[in-house]
Amino acid sequence: MLMIRLARVGARKQPHYRVIVIEKDRARNGRSIEVVGTYNPRTNPASVELKRDRIDYWTSKGAQLSERVGKLLSQAAAAPATEVAA
């Protein structure tokens, strides 16, 4: 089963996240299938960049969203200026 979830990158006490498509059984930072966005909670306001077309593609193939990615997706829908088309 595929999941769309966050993978933590960045230095200690400086989190930065990638939104990735990955097998559900793999480790948090294991080998992913595709990177479909980024999330930086350290900026004010937090910056979110998502490839909506790729997320829609993977959800059509059966991928499930994690709880946090679902919240980020709904927030990005409310503010489309943070969305990336490519």
Side-chain angles (χ1 to χ4, degrees), residues 24-59:
K24 186 173 185 174
D25 301 351
R26 291 200 186 267
R28 178 192 71 190
N29 291 342
R31 189 179 69 201
S32 63
I33 297 171
E34 183 179 357
V35 177
V36 293
T38 60
Y39 169 58
N40 187 357
R42 299 182 62 228
T43 60
N44 191 10
S47 62
V48 179
E49 296 180 5
L50 299 172
K51 298 177 186 174
R52 277 303 274 267
D53 57 335
R54 296 306 294 165
I55 292 173
D56 292 340
Y57 169 79
W58 284 110
T59 53

Side-chain angles (χ1 to χ4, degrees), residues 8-16 42:
R8 189 181 193 278
V9 293
R12 189 170 144 242
K13 296 195 178 192
Q14 296 179 1
H16 188 92
R42 299 182 62 228

Side-chain angles (χ1 to χ4, degrees), residues 48-50 52 69-84:
V48 179
E49 296 180 5
L50 299 172
R52 277 303 274 267
V69 172
K71 288 181 183 180
L72 292 175
L73 207 56
S74 64
Q75 289 173 359
T82 61
E83 189 175 317
V84 172

